[in-house]
Amino acid sequence: MKKFILKTIVKYRRMKLLDKYILKQVITMFIMGVLVFTSIIFASDTFITLIKQISRYGIPFKIAFMIIILHLPSVFVMTIPMGVLLSTVMTLNGLSLSSEITVMRACGIGLNRIARPIFTFAIVMALASFFINETVVPVMTKQSTDLALYAFGQKNIPEGKENFTFKEIKEGGKLKRLFYVGDCTDKTLHNITVLDASKEGTIQILQAREGKTSPMGWRFQKGAIYTITDSGKTLDTTLFNDSTFMFGMDLSKEMEKNQAGERNFIQLAKFISKENRPELRIDLYDKIALPLTTIVLVLIGVPLAITPPRVRYNRGFLFSILIIFAYYLIRALSISFGEAGALIPVLAAFMPNIILTIVGVGLYYRKVYTIC
């Protein structure tokens, strides 16, 4: 009995050391992967958005940068599955190339046991991703939306500056609106002129003695609006004492973009019960499908990471990129079909996971049970 207990303790300690050995490498590679993929997303998409917001809407750099930072948690939710996949493939591929997996198998440690700490780590990361998406992301997205709406309304009028101008540009580089403010004192604008060329064939010129900006629009006092044609003919003249203008900026569209991101699963489900739209239902199911992707990618990454004896180079990174590309390609297609009504929302959200799970189970079974 004592011998059995001692053997069990020794075996437990060895297995615990094995878990620590594998997890140490996985976590190190995971941190590197998250940083790399987050940097790629920021460099390729986020900073382009930053430049557009500054050039097109006149948003100050500081505010635009704060909006980008507030979107960081939602980027982490996307990069966590990528980082787990990269760490899984790179770690197991490295162990395979150094013949450590061969030694482990010779000692009676099967691939299921080797992969156990990795699947445990993937489950923990899936829960962490779901937690971030349900608690942190809605708060940050709401703050980002409020900050963007405020910046759109304020139009970046600097306090105390005189003879200040800025412009809005159309698609293609053409002038949309030109704003001139004589001076800004105590948040009140004086001697305002707005040249609005947003409508084809006509130009509107607005002049006002004073006014203020807010997220609700521009409020002008004691002014006039002149509508003229491109040839210079005056079509209409309107005088006003107090009026608010939005200048065609439909801020409701900005608010609609983040309806799903500003709500957690329960809040979005209640919102959908009042306003049932396919894209919102896809977003609802995606709040569960995206964290589960972490486990699915590990399922397909483990068998691909075990390198055959004849291969003597680390192909883990290449496999990771190909799997991620395949996943997001399927995801983009399924969501597009779902929004078009060709797929039901729940299937559109879970289709990438279903396809990769089927492939992963087949590869895993073949690697574990049919290949020694």
Side-chain angles (χ1 to χ4, degrees), residues 12-28:
Y12 172 76
R13 287 180 177 176
R14 287 178 179 175
M15 293 306 178
K16 194 173 181 180
L17 288 174
L18 177 62
D19 292 340
K20 288 182 179 180
Y21 178 69
I22 294 176
L23 283 176
K24 183 179 179 180
Q25 298 182 61
V26 169
I27 293 173
T28 301

Side-chain angles (χ1 to χ4, degrees), residues 27-42:
I27 293 173
T28 301
M29 193 61 63
F30 168 75
I31 295 173
M32 187 196 74
V34 169
L35 292 177
V36 168
F37 289 122
T38 301
S39 301
I40 292 174
I41 293 177
F42 261 62

Side-chain angles (χ1 to χ4, degrees), residues 154-162 164 166 183-185 189:
Q154 290 294 327
K155 280 304 193 181
N156 189 23
I157 302 297
E159 180 73 19
K161 188 170 183 177
E162 298 182 355
F164 178 73
F166 64 91
D183 64 86
C184 181
T185 307
L189 312 176

Side-chain angles (χ1 to χ4, degrees), residues 268-277:
L268 185 58
K270 292 180 179 179
F271 180 78
I272 289 175
S273 64
K274 300 177 182 178
E275 186 175 349
N276 189 6
R277 289 187 292 173

Side-chain angles (χ1 to χ4, degrees), residues 19 112 163:
D19 292 340
N112 279 329
N163 300 321

